[in-house]
Structures are given as C-alpha cells and as structure tokens.
Amino acid sequence: MLVAFSIAPSGSSTDDGSVGDAVAEAVRVVRESGLPNETTSMFTTIEAESWDEAMAVVGRAVEAVQARSPRVSLVLKADIRPGYTGQLTAKVARIEKALGSDG
C-alpha cells in the first residue's frame, strides 16, 4: 500500500510563516522507519505492507510535529492494493513509459 500524507503545525510557525523545521522532524521519522519513501514539496509517500505498519509511521510523524506545536494538520491519501510491492517507483515508471521517456 502507498500512503501519501502531509503534516504541518497549525497556529505556530516562524516569523516568515515557515514550518520547515517541524516538517523536517516528521520526515526524519519516516526515513528512520526503513520503509520505502519519497518526499516532495507537498507530500511524503511511504510504501508499507499493511495499514497498521503505515499508520504507525504516520502516527509517529504526527507526534514529532506535535512536539513543536499543540495543533497539527494532517492530510492523508492511501492506495490500498494487496499483493503489490515496489509501487512507489513502478507507478511513476508506467507513466514515463506511456509518455515515451525513460524516466
């Protein structure tokens, strides 16, 4: 399963509106989880074997942000497809192939 999520503190940020330090703590949790992952400008996506495995990582990432702010925003989207692995990169490769490029 793929789980894409965005976590950010709500109601507290630096003077310039940046939430980067808090978000970096969430990404650190994800990277330390050992799960395949990718972070873009808007979301972090993880690939897990089960709902419980994915939600444990998301929960720890929320807690990391919550340590910096009492209010946290979480947006989550999941692609639940049992029996498939490697989809973090395979889905993108299929699109690149359809576009006629090597990726």
Side-chain angles (χ1 to χ4, degrees), residues 18-92:
S18 176
V19 297
D21 289 343
V23 171
E25 290 305 315
V27 173
R28 185 183 323 280
V29 167
V30 169
R31 291 182 179 175
E32 289 175 354
S33 75
L35 294 178
N37 66 83
E38 177 183 59
T39 298
T40 65
S41 61
M42 298 281 293
F43 285 92
T44 294
T45 304
I46 59 175
E47 184 164 7
E49 290 292 322
S50 69
W51 180 260
D52 289 342
E53 183 180 41
M55 291 304 101
V57 173
V58 171
R60 289 193 308 271
V62 167
E63 290 168 358
V65 174
Q66 205 167 30
R68 294 176 169 262
S69 174
R71 188 173 185 183
V72 177
S73 171
L74 170 67
V75 176
L76 185 141
K77 181 176 182 178
D79 180 1
I80 303 163
R81 194 173 184 196
Y84 287 80
T85 59
Q87 295 305 294
L88 188 66
T89 55
K91 290 178 82 168
V92 175

